[in-house]
Amino acid sequence: MRAIWKGAIAFGLVNVPVKVYSATEDHDISLHQVHNADGGRIRYQRRCEVCSKIVDYEDIDKAYEDDGRTVVLSREELKSIPAENSHEIDVVQFVPAEQLDPMMFEKSYYLEPDSKSPKAYVLLRRALEDTDRVAIVQFALRDKTRLGALRIRGDVLVLQALLWADEVREASFPSLETTIRISAQEREMSAALVDSMAADFEPDQFTDDYQLQLRQLIEAKLEKGESLDTEETFGVPAAESGTGEVIDLMEALKRSLEKKRGGGAASADESAKPAAKPASKPTAARPATKTASRTAPKAAAKTAAKAAGTKAAAQTARKEA
């Protein structure tokens, strides 16, 4: 990693020199634009609308327009802003972590000690650990004064840039102002669905399917060229977008539960259907049952007759004796 900024954390009278690194990176496959007729690369040019000349980046200034008036600000004038020249991450207060709304979170940065001894760095980290709080800081980075949260990730201090309060929009939707009745059964079913999907969050379990499939598409196109068949490549036809409209909420909850439970319970439609005839009256079982019921009395009769004949013969032999 390469440091993007150097400064110091001002923790009261304690000064903690640090280097700042971007903590995140984009893993998306880089694509550029081309002309679909001949594959020519599309280039963007910085062209002046007054003289029609292409302007180099070093000859470009910034401007602000208000009510038809334009104020041009040179780079030197912008750099003269006092906050722009500050290289201090100023700790202004310590707050409980739960008071930070995730909506305000922006980009994250790693902070590395930038001194011969990291003692001041470790001291600040220990202070955050011992008090179980997050430091709210103010700092300037890339032409902007920022609000931030200083927290711990493992043994490293992390600077989390925050949005300013007026940068978070208020949500106001008329559709949510109507009274909606949720039945007790619907709440129970939704809670059961949540329980069936409950788990500990492990980021490594998740993958960016679009980027993986985009890579698969690129490799297939490199191999087959214009003869590419996307259905053959992915094994499925292109998905059709649905309306997402839920017709029967309870039925959707039931089916969702059955799906998460691995299909152990029959669906509502299947349980409502009558059992199939072959399942309730096995063809092979009927003859076996009848044969057994017919054979048993016949066998018993033969045994009885044989026993009766044996008894009669014994009585005759006694009389003759």
Side-chain angles (χ1 to χ4, degrees):
M1 290 190 292
R2 184 175 62 87
I4 62 171
W5 188 80
K6 287 186 178 183
I9 303 170
F11 172 36
L13 297 178
V14 178
N15 194 273
V16 187
V18 292
K19 293 179 182 178
V20 179
Y21 301 83
S22 292
T24 59
E25 60 185 359
D26 189 355
H27 69 193
D28 290 357
I29 296 172
S30 180
L31 302 175
H32 58 259
Q33 294 179 328
V34 296
H35 185 194
N36 60 8
D38 53 23
R41 183 79 176 262
I42 302 298
R43 303 284 184 179
Y44 289 93
Q45 298 176 330
R46 295 177 291 270
R47 187 180 296 276
C48 174
E49 64 180 23
V50 175
C51 65
S52 298
K53 292 182 179 179
I54 298 174
V55 182
D56 292 332
Y57 181 74
E58 57 267 22
D59 295 327
I60 296 176
D61 285 333
K62 294 184 179 180
Y64 174 78
E65 188 172 344
D66 182 28
D67 196 21
R69 298 178 60 192
T70 300
V71 177
V72 178
L73 300 170
S74 68
R75 295 186 183 184
E76 291 71 22
E77 290 169 336
L78 289 172
K79 287 183 179 180
S80 69
I81 298 175
E84 167 66 15
N85 299 314
S86 174
H87 283 260
E88 193 172 84
I89 301 173
D90 186 26
V91 177
V92 292
Q93 60 182 185
F94 294 89
V95 302
E98 60 269 17
Q99 291 184 0
L100 290 176
D101 185 351
M103 183 76 78
M104 299 181 69
F105 291 164
E106 207 176 16
K107 190 170 175 57
S108 298
Y109 303 92
Y110 288 134
L111 303 184
E112 178 192 16
D114 188 26
S115 61
K116 293 181 179 179
S117 172
K119 185 173 183 179
Y121 182 98
V122 174
L123 175 64
L124 177 56
R125 190 190 69 200
R126 290 281 176 83
L128 293 175
E129 289 174 341
D130 295 342
T131 59
D132 195 23
R133 288 188 174 245
V134 171
I136 299 300
V137 301
Q138 287 186 296
F139 63 104
L141 180 64
R142 293 175 175 171
D143 302 332
K144 185 177 180 181
T145 304
R146 302 169 186 264
L147 187 67
L150 202 61
R151 57 185 182 84
I152 304 168
R153 191 174 193 266
D155 293 332
V156 180
L157 290 176
V158 173
L159 177 60
Q160 184 91 50
L162 303 176
L163 296 171
W164 296 98
D166 61 356
E167 291 181 314
V168 179
R169 293 176 174 177
E170 290 293 331
S172 178
F173 304 113
S175 59
L176 294 178
E177 295 174 2
T178 59
T179 302
I180 304 294
R181 182 182 176 278
I182 303 295
S183 69
Q185 188 178 8
E186 288 171 334
R187 294 185 65 175
E188 290 173 3
M189 290 288 290
S190 61
L193 180 58
V194 171
D195 288 341
S196 71
M197 300 172 67
D200 292 326
F201 178 57
E202 297 180 15
D204 292 342
Q205 291 183 344
F206 302 92
T207 56
D208 188 340
D209 291 340
Y210 180 84
Q211 292 300 318
L212 292 175
Q213 292 164 8
L214 175 58
R215 173 64 66 187
Q216 183 182 353
L217 179 63
I218 291 171
E219 291 174 353
K221 191 67 180 284
L222 286 171
E223 179 183 350
K224 299 184 178 180
E226 295 305 320
S227 63
L228 172 73
D229 183 345
T230 56
E231 186 171 337
E232 179 184 345
T233 301
F234 297 116
V236 292
E240 296 181 0
S241 59
T243 61
E245 188 74 18
V246 177
I247 305 301
D248 188 334
L249 188 57
M250 280 301 297
E251 182 64 18
L253 288 169
K254 286 178 183 178
R255 289 183 179 276
S256 299
L257 271 173
E258 288 159 7
K259 183 177 180 181
K260 295 307 294 182
R261 289 171 178 169
S267 68
D269 288 346
E270 291 172 348
S271 60
K273 293 178 181 178
K277 289 182 179 180
S280 59
K281 296 180 180 181
T283 305
R286 187 187 298 173
T289 304
K290 287 185 177 182
T291 302
S293 61
R294 290 172 183 169
T295 304
K298 288 181 179 180
K302 287 181 179 180
T303 303
K306 186 176 181 180
T310 304
K311 186 176 180 181
Q315 287 175 351
T316 303
R318 281 199 297 270
K319 287 179 181 179
E320 290 175 352

